[in-house]
């Protein structure tokens, strides 16, 4: 499968996820605290290279892939490279590439994961729990009752089905971005990209 087809497949999974997330949020009233971004500041976020293939492909199309690769390789921080430390007024959140954010960035706060007993539990943050207690309780009740909620492992499995190797291993987020860039640059080293 070509890089372009993989990018399309990843974007299709993300689009389906966005619909499920919107439905869950609308049904429960659960949302992030405006301007928060505390979860983005976690220096230990992990991802797979496959999640960042659309981002790497977009950078390649805009002749920015080599620049980004050098910057990611030179970076000494474990904080996500696409994170904006200072929020830009009028733009949502702290992510400079929100459209291309990773899977955990999309899921966390509004999806469920399985506990040791294989029961679904809402995976969310302390801020959401304390700032929106009624919505949080409603969301927990929906999950407990078996209502429709995005399940983290389901979406990781969907991505892995696109490319087992690129979707298998979780690694530090900047390493995942770096690997995605390397994959795209290697693929197009002797090919011309098909423009979307």
């Amino acid at each position: 499968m070509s890089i372009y087809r993989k990018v399309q497949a990843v974007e299709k999974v993300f689009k389906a996820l966005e619909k499920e997330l919107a439905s869950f949020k609308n049904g429960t009233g659960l949302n992030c605290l405006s301007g928060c971004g505390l979860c983005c500041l976690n220096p230990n976020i992990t991802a797979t290279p496959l999640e960042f293939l659309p981002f790497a492909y977009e950078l390649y199309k805009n002749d920015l892939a080599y620049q980004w690769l050098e910057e990611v390789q030179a970076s000494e921080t474990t904080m996500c490279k696409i994170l904006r430390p200072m929020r830009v007024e009028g733009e949502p959140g702290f992510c400079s590439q929100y459209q291309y954010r990773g899977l955990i960035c999309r899921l966390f706060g509004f999806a469920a994961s399985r506990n040791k007993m294989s029961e679904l539990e809402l995976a969310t943050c302390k801020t959401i729990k304390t700032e929106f207690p009624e919505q949080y309780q409603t969301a927990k009740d929906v999950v407990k009752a078996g209502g429709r909620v995005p399940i983290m492992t389901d979406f990781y499995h969907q991505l892995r089905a696109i490319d087992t190797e690129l979707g298998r291993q979780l690694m530090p987020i900047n390493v995942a971005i770096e690997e995605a860039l390397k994959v795209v640059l290697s693929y197009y080293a002797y090919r011309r990209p098909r423009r979307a």
Side-chain angles (χ1 to χ4, degrees):
M1 181 187 298
S2 72
I3 290 292
Y4 179 69
R5 294 285 177 230
K6 288 178 187 180
V7 166
Q8 286 184 313
V10 170
E11 288 175 340
K12 184 177 179 182
V13 170
F14 286 167
K15 188 175 182 180
L17 171 58
E18 293 304 322
K19 282 185 180 179
E20 282 195 39
L21 288 169
S23 176
F24 184 69
K25 289 177 182 180
N26 289 337
T28 61
L30 201 63
N31 233 318
C32 284
L33 182 65
S34 179
C36 178
L38 286 176
C39 58
C40 302
L41 301 175
N42 182 337
N44 301 312
I45 297 171
T46 58
T48 66
L50 189 59
E51 298 167 49
F52 288 98
L53 212 57
F55 178 54
Y57 180 74
E58 185 67 19
L59 290 173
Y60 178 80
K61 286 191 330 183
N62 291 295
D63 296 322
L64 296 170
Y66 283 108
Q67 175 188 330
W68 268 81
L69 181 60
E70 288 174 6
E71 289 176 15
V72 170
Q73 289 175 332
S75 179
E76 294 182 13
T77 181
T78 58
M79 297 295 276
C80 178
K81 176 71 177 134
I82 63 177
L83 178 67
R84 273 191 302 246
M86 299 300 291
R87 191 162 173 258
V88 176
E89 194 60 41
E91 292 185 24
F94 292 85
C95 187
S96 68
Q97 303 295 327
Y98 191 77
Q99 177 183 352
Y100 299 109
R101 68 199 185 282
L103 188 57
I104 193 62
C105 308
R106 296 167 190 269
L107 288 165
F108 185 70
F110 311 103
S113 61
R114 296 199 182 275
N115 63 21
K116 292 177 185 177
M117 305 298 287
S118 217
E119 301 164 330
L120 290 176
E121 291 181 341
L122 186 63
T124 196
C125 67
K126 184 178 179 180
T127 303
I128 288 176
K129 291 175 185 177
T130 57
E131 295 294 322
F132 306 107
E134 289 129 27
Q135 294 87 342
Y136 170 65
Q137 187 59 52
T138 299
K140 274 182 51 177
D141 293 344
V142 167
V143 172
K144 189 173 184 173
R148 188 129 174 103
V149 59
I151 301 171
M152 289 185 167
T153 52
D154 290 354
F155 285 94
Y156 280 101
H157 287 292
Q158 287 178 44
L159 284 182
R160 197 171 298 132
I162 296 166
D163 185 310
T164 306
E165 189 61 30
L166 292 177
R168 179 177 49 89
Q169 186 179 358
L170 287 170
M171 53 189 68
I173 196 163
N174 289 335
V175 176
I177 293 169
E178 178 182 348
E179 291 304 311
L181 286 163
K182 287 178 181 177
V183 166
V184 170
L185 288 168
S186 294
Y187 182 83
Y188 287 119
Y190 300 103
R191 297 176 180 94
R192 295 189 77 198
R194 290 176 60 189
R195 300 292 177 173

